[in-house]
Amino acid sequence: MSGPAAGTAAAATTTDVVCLGESMVTFLPSQPGRLADVPSFERGIGGAESNVACALAAAGHRAAWVGRVGADGFGDHLVETIASYGVDTSAVRRDPARPTGVYFRTATDRGTDTHEVAYYRAGSAASAMSPENVPYEALFAGRVLHLSGITAALSPDCLALLRELTAPRPGRPLVSFDVNHRPHLWRGCAEDASVLLELARRADLVFVGEDEAEEAWGIVGAEAIRAALPEPSVLVVKRGSAGATVFASELRPGPRGAEAAAGTAAPGASTDTVSAATPATSADTTCPAASADTATPADTVTPVPALRVDVVAAVGAGDAFAAGFLSATLRGLPVRDRARHGHLMAAAVLTVPGDLTDPPSRDRADRLVALDDAAWGRLRLAPGWTAADRAPEEVRTP
């Protein structure tokens, strides 16, 4: 069987989250400086969606990564390394005609002018993913399908695939979409902004940074971003060091809600679903959002401050945040706690050189998430903080 409908009908929900996208071998510099001056590099892996899968598996969830790699040594390394985190890689396809993508980067923050990245991914195996060659039965086998805007930029076939996967249909798993606007991948394409907006509006849960929303869409401020993305049940606006603002409503007219209202479901579709939103609870610091459209139910709006972190490398934090938020969503935690788990996962990655690291234990993370606002605001996390299972009051504070 092939195609989304067939894949949905055949799916059995044995996986929490399925992540689709390109993963690459990354070469991390042995010292700061320009790429031209770095004498050696250490091999690692990098890829937004596989990063999320690895972090979720490390946190105890059943995660799968679906991608396409070359039939080469770098492809072997990617699949073996991702699987070593406990991620199911059985649906990864090997391409004998195209290589695995690789990239080199400097040690500086991605947001600075001195940051350099040299990608060697044009014509990669992953760029050949299309609606005709992906395993739909694996993609629809999870409670959540996590995607990102990076995949849409790889090729016209990849964009067609994301349009297929985000199309509203009965029995579709909850679709999580991280905008992940990468301008360099869209060079020569003037439609990046409209494409990313289109895909985000078709998802159930969306992650987007204030900075990328302004860069891609010219939209400034969390409320304006929500106005541009009214469909998702949950919208997470990441605000850098200021934290995140979460807009949530069970009653938003999102893609899955529309199908449920129609009273239809795909034959054999699983009833083991997860909701992007939860009703407000006493644990939420929420308030009703004003809406210009009286036909659209009001959101609960939950601002969640970020933690103070002694940053080692500002890479991979967005993927880690998404993983932490998804992890807490799978557990049915309140919105505030979901965002706090996202901040803790991000802090774990920010305090190491690479894109991946072991997260704090679940018990430890739950204790920190449960702190009152004042104690949460006093936390300052330094390198090595995830290794010691200390009580919350023992975490370094100023």
Side-chain angles (χ1 to χ4, degrees):
M1 287 191 292
S2 62
T8 303
T13 305
T14 58
T15 303
D16 291 323
V17 181
V18 178
C19 303
L20 169 102
E22 180 173 35
S23 190
M24 295 181 289
V25 173
T26 178
F27 290 91
L28 307 174
S30 58
Q31 65 184 42
R34 303 183 308 156
L35 286 179
D37 300 326
V38 174
S40 60
F41 296 82
E42 181 178 349
R43 184 180 63 177
I45 65 169
E49 302 84 1
S50 61
N51 286 348
V52 171
C54 289
L56 283 167
H61 296 283
R62 298 165 297 178
W65 172 62
V66 177
R68 193 174 181 89
V69 300
D72 50 34
F74 285 148
D76 293 341
H77 176 66
L78 274 177
V79 174
E80 292 167 5
T81 303
I82 293 170
S84 73
Y85 282 85
V87 175
D88 180 357
T89 59
S90 61
V92 174
R93 298 293 187 256
R94 307 302 291 264
D95 190 326
R98 298 175 180 84
T100 302
V102 301
Y103 72 99
F104 297 76
R105 68 170 174 82
T106 54
T108 50
D109 187 339
R110 181 181 284 142
T112 67
D113 293 337
T114 59
H115 185 69
E116 297 176 72
V117 181
Y119 288 103
Y120 299 91
R121 73 196 306 178
S124 70
S127 69
M129 289 189 294
S130 76
E132 286 72 43
N133 64 17
V134 297
Y136 285 98
E137 68 280 2
L139 289 170
F140 285 91
R143 300 167 66 194
V144 177
L145 174 61
H146 181 70
L147 309 167
S148 95
I150 294 173
T151 305
L154 297 180
S155 69
D157 281 344
C158 284
L159 173 55
L161 173 60
L162 257 65
R163 282 179 165 145
E164 284 280 3
L165 295 176
T166 57
R169 62 173 50 86
R172 188 185 86 172
L174 184 146
V175 172
S176 165
F177 182 74
D178 193 333
V179 172
N180 262 331
H181 182 231
R182 299 288 186 268
H184 62 274
L185 291 177
W186 292 95
R187 286 173 186 160
C189 177
E191 299 179 351
D192 58 329
S194 61
V195 164
L196 292 173
L197 194 62
E198 168 201 343
L199 295 172
R201 294 184 69 174
R202 293 162 69 146
D204 304 296
L205 165 60
V206 173
F207 300 94
V208 63
E210 272 191 328
D211 53 346
E212 61 186 346
E214 182 175 3
E215 183 177 33
W217 305 322
I219 299 173
V220 180
E223 293 285 352
I225 296 170
R226 182 49 157 170
L229 293 171
E231 294 85 359
S233 297
V234 173
L235 170 66
V236 183
V237 179
K238 298 177 291 185
R239 305 175 58 224
S241 60
T245 299
V246 185
F247 298 82
S249 173
E250 282 280 11
L251 302 179
R252 283 274 170 176
R256 297 171 77 230
E259 295 297 342
T264 58
S270 171
T271 58
D272 182 15
T273 60
V274 59
S275 174
T278 56
T281 73
S282 58
D284 289 320
T285 51
T286 57
C287 56
S291 174
D293 181 0
T294 57
T296 301
D299 284 315
T300 55
V301 182
T302 310
V304 184
L307 294 162
R308 287 178 291 174
V309 179
D310 295 341
V311 176
V312 172
V315 293
D319 305 330
F321 180 93
F325 194 95
L326 286 170
S327 173
T329 298
L330 289 163
R331 296 170 61 196
L333 299 184
V335 169
R336 186 209 68 171
D337 293 0
R338 299 180 190 194
R340 282 192 171 187
H341 274 284
H343 287 319
L344 287 170
M345 282 274 209
V349 169
L350 287 169
T351 51
V352 298
D355 290 11
L356 293 168
T357 189
D358 291 332
S361 69
R362 180 172 291 185
D363 287 346
R364 173 96 184 282
D366 284 345
R367 290 200 306 268
L368 294 177
V369 165
L371 293 174
D372 62 33
D373 290 345
W376 176 264
R378 289 195 298 269
L379 291 182
R380 185 181 186 114
L381 302 179
W385 74 271
T386 61
D389 189 14
R390 298 174 293 178
E393 62 271 20
E394 295 176 304
V395 176
R396 179 181 168 189
T397 56

